[in-house]
Amino acid sequence: MKILVIDGQGGNIGRQLVKMISEQIPDAQLRAVGTNSIATANMIKGGTSNAATGENSVLVCSRWADVIVGPIGIVIADAMMGEVTAAMAAAVGQSDAVKVLIPMNRCNTVIAGVDACSTNSLLDDALRRIKEAASNG
């Protein structure tokens, strides 16, 4: 199973996801792509050495992945204070990969029907869904 974690800004969500996936799905081929170098460096601290930064990396890795996971902003052009380009959002959205999007109500994007949940509970649910996608092959 090829899993791509995408994050931006400080990369804290991505770092936690990388750590959880590395620990609980050890057979996964895991890649992390940051929209900036700080996010990438933080995801490397989470436990992957297979990481890259920037728009072209998102485009290439989105074609490679079976599962893409990250904050919902990765499919919204200009999200994360402008770090997500239209090309990045399109690459993720057009990918054949299963997308597991974390519903972060930030950057003027509010997801109706999503109660205020802790980040940890959102990440636990994301991991559960990644495992489901991995078992469905």
Side-chain angles (χ1 to χ4, degrees):
M1 176 64 49
K2 300 177 207 171
I3 301 173
L4 173 61
V5 177
I6 302 174
D7 200 6
Q9 297 183 301
N12 291 322
I13 298 294
R15 179 181 183 167
Q16 292 175 58
L17 286 166
V18 164
K19 185 177 188 317
M20 294 168 78
I21 293 165
S22 296
E23 291 173 351
Q24 297 191 34
I25 313 174
D27 295 339
Q29 296 177 53
L30 180 59
R31 288 188 183 171
V33 175
T35 60
N36 63 65
S37 58
I38 293 170
T40 304
N42 219 352
M43 289 190 281
I44 290 170
K45 290 177 186 174
T48 184
S49 59
N50 198 359
T53 302
E55 181 179 76
N56 197 57
S57 297
V58 171
L59 275 59
V60 170
C61 292
S62 291
R63 293 191 303 262
W64 166 86
D66 297 314
V67 176
I68 299 173
V69 59
I72 196 161
I74 65 175
V75 295
I76 301 171
D78 298 332
M80 297 185 197
M81 298 186 347
E83 291 183 9
V84 177
T85 67
M88 290 170 153
V92 173
Q94 292 171 348
S95 173
D96 288 334
V98 172
K99 285 86 152 167
V100 179
L101 303 173
I102 314 294
M104 308 303 288
N105 289 330
R106 296 184 185 149
C107 299
N108 294 327
T109 301
V110 178
I111 298 97
V114 177
D115 292 327
C117 298
S118 72
T119 300
N120 286 341
S121 66
L122 292 170
L123 294 176
D124 288 342
D125 186 51
L127 184 63
R128 180 182 62 80
R129 293 170 189 270
I130 294 165
K131 286 179 176 179
E132 285 176 7
S135 67
N136 291 335

